[in-house]
Amino acid sequence: MVFWLIFSVFSLPVYAVGQSPMVSSEGSIIESAIDFHIHSSPDVIPRRLDDFEVAESAARSHMKAVVLKNHYGSTAARAVLVNKIVPQIEVFGGIVLNRAIGGLNPDAVEAMHRIGGKYGKVVWLPTVDSEHHLKVFHKSGIGIKVAENGKILPETEAVLKIIARDNLVLETGHISSAEVMAVVQQAHLLNIKNILITHAMADVPGLSLENMKTAAAMGAFLELAFVNDLMGENAADKGHRNWHHVSISQMVSAIKLIGAEHFVLSTDLGRKPDPLPAEGYKLFVTKLINQGISQREIDLMSKENPARLLGI
């Protein structure tokens, strides 16, 4: 009797002992899609879902893969564990080069990839600790720069060389548009094959359409994040009210101008007042289709382009 009570108290949830969660057999508008940008818990900022719940939700919608992002720590090891528990979908992680991991730290990049293996795939340049982010959102402190006067810094170069060597994905983070262009140019010279401009149309980095066209011409993909359509002075999340609203119509105009072959869709969701990531992705796709984006263009941006970046 005592043994039974102890076992009952300390037994784990079913999904945490190697059994797969139930997956719906119904079709989905985002079937085989990849979300390249989801924030989950554990995190410094409260999140709606944990890593396992994100994977389970995406699997129920028959998605192909998701990428977990955290501004303050690596998600590579977390991705490895989630893949064991929720094998119906591939979960990728990476590292954001903010101050919590030493900034532009090549050793941290190497460790992330060695721990995560094929699932430790994505390297974001500084986000919330970048000089540009602090300046745009009027925050105090000395931010991290990755380039000066159009030339990348030596520590940035060291990180880029690891990304090139290990065929990782370079994400530009929240650096300035001038820094983005310097990074993309150098990444192109180093033969980095997988480049994604983080939420290209948002305040950070704040690329112009001309910048976006130039980056695309050098082989970079441009991320469109659904969360930017939820931002602005009326945003449900208070932390998003100091960002400018990027409308679906603005995104559609950019797609038509530059071409869907250069874009990747993501949600960048995870905050508690916002939709769940999979539900947000469905809404994003629906809104794009309603404003004239074809199914072929959706497939390029939600399936083929992100799969190419991840090598799956």
Side-chain angles (χ1 to χ4, degrees), residues 47 227 230-245 268-269 271 274:
R47 302 297 182 185
V227 76
L230 306 177
M231 291 176 165
E233 59 183 14
N234 297 317
D237 188 277
K238 291 181 180 179
H240 288 161
R241 292 175 189 169
N242 56 348
W243 293 64
H244 285 96
H245 175 232
D268 193 4
L269 292 175
R271 291 194 180 218
D274 290 334

Side-chain angles (χ1 to χ4, degrees), residues 35 37 39 47-48 199 201-203 224-251 266-285 287:
D35 191 339
H37 196 155
H39 292 276
R47 302 297 182 185
R48 286 199 67 175
H199 41 58
M201 299 184 74
D203 297 75
L224 296 178
F226 180 55
V227 76
N228 296 133
D229 182 51
L230 306 177
M231 291 176 165
E233 59 183 14
N234 297 317
D237 188 277
K238 291 181 180 179
H240 288 161
R241 292 175 189 169
N242 56 348
W243 293 64
H244 285 96
H245 175 232
V246 181
S247 68
I248 297 295
S249 61
Q250 288 175 294
M251 297 184 198
S266 73
T267 65
D268 193 4
L269 292 175
R271 291 194 180 218
K272 291 196 170 182
D274 290 334
L276 294 172
E279 298 309 310
Y281 207 135
K282 293 173 187 175
L283 185 56
F284 192 17
V285 168
K287 285 188 171 188

Side-chain angles (χ1 to χ4, degrees), residues 21-289:
M22 295 297 292
V23 178
S24 169
S25 60
E26 298 178 5
S28 167
I29 194 173
I30 56 171
E31 183 170 353
S32 300
I34 297 170
D35 191 339
F36 226 96
H37 196 155
I38 297 178
H39 292 276
S40 52
S41 64
D43 199 355
V44 172
I45 298 169
R47 302 297 182 185
R48 286 199 67 175
L49 301 177
D50 65 30
D51 299 340
F52 298 102
E53 291 168 329
V54 164
E56 291 167 354
S57 175
R60 284 194 295 271
S61 293
H62 301 279
M63 295 178 69
K64 185 180 181 69
V66 296
V67 178
L68 304 177
K69 181 180 180 183
N70 188 293
H71 292 296
Y72 303 99
S74 172
T75 54
R78 290 161 54 171
V80 170
L81 295 176
V82 177
N83 280 298
K84 289 181 176 292
I85 304 304
V86 192
Q88 294 85 2
I89 186 169
E90 289 194 273
V91 178
F92 291 83
I95 194 166
V96 184
L97 301 181
N98 285 325
R99 294 204 181 279
I101 59 89
L104 296 167
N105 183 352
D107 292 333
V109 174
E110 286 197 326
M112 178 279 296
H113 182 49
R114 289 178 64 189
I115 291 169
K118 69 170 287 189
Y119 297 114
K121 186 74 174 179
V122 186
V123 180
W124 288 268
L125 296 180
T127 56
V128 295
D129 289 332
S130 76
E131 181 183 72
H132 185 59
H133 182 98
L134 298 184
K135 180 179 179 181
V136 167
F137 296 113
H138 309 291
K139 296 181 179 292
S140 60
I142 299 173
I144 302 171
K145 292 191 289 187
V146 303
E148 285 185 309
N149 302 317
K151 185 175 181 180
I152 66 167
L153 299 175
E155 51 269 39
T156 310
E157 175 95 5
V159 167
L160 295 186
K161 286 181 177 178
I162 294 170
I163 293 171
R165 182 194 71 197
D166 294 337
N167 196 32
L168 304 179
V169 179
L170 168 64
E171 283 234 33
T172 53
H174 295 190
I175 61 178
S176 70
S177 58
E179 289 177 297
V180 167
M181 301 314 294
V183 165
V184 171
Q185 184 175 20
Q186 188 62 23
H188 181 69
L189 293 174
L190 290 171
N191 199 31
I192 292 177
K193 296 179 175 61
N194 309 309
I195 308 169
L196 183 58
I197 311 300
T198 307
H199 41 58
M201 299 184 74
D203 297 75
V204 287
L207 264 60
S208 66
L209 289 173
E210 198 58 41
N211 286 153
M212 292 168 67
K213 288 171 65 176
T214 301
M218 287 191 284
F221 286 103
L222 306 159
E223 180 188 45
L224 296 178
F226 180 55
V227 76
N228 296 133
D229 182 51
L230 306 177
M231 291 176 165
E233 59 183 14
N234 297 317
D237 188 277
K238 291 181 180 179
H240 288 161
R241 292 175 189 169
N242 56 348
W243 293 64
H244 285 96
H245 175 232
V246 181
S247 68
I248 297 295
S249 61
Q250 288 175 294
M251 297 184 198
V252 168
S253 295
I255 294 167
K256 294 300 185 182
L257 175 67
I258 301 170
E261 66 271 21
H262 300 295
F263 286 90
V264 166
L265 302 183
S266 73
T267 65
D268 193 4
L269 292 175
R271 291 194 180 218
K272 291 196 170 182
D274 290 334
L276 294 172
E279 298 309 310
Y281 207 135
K282 293 173 187 175
L283 185 56
F284 192 17
V285 168
T286 300
K287 285 188 171 188
L288 289 169
I289 290 173

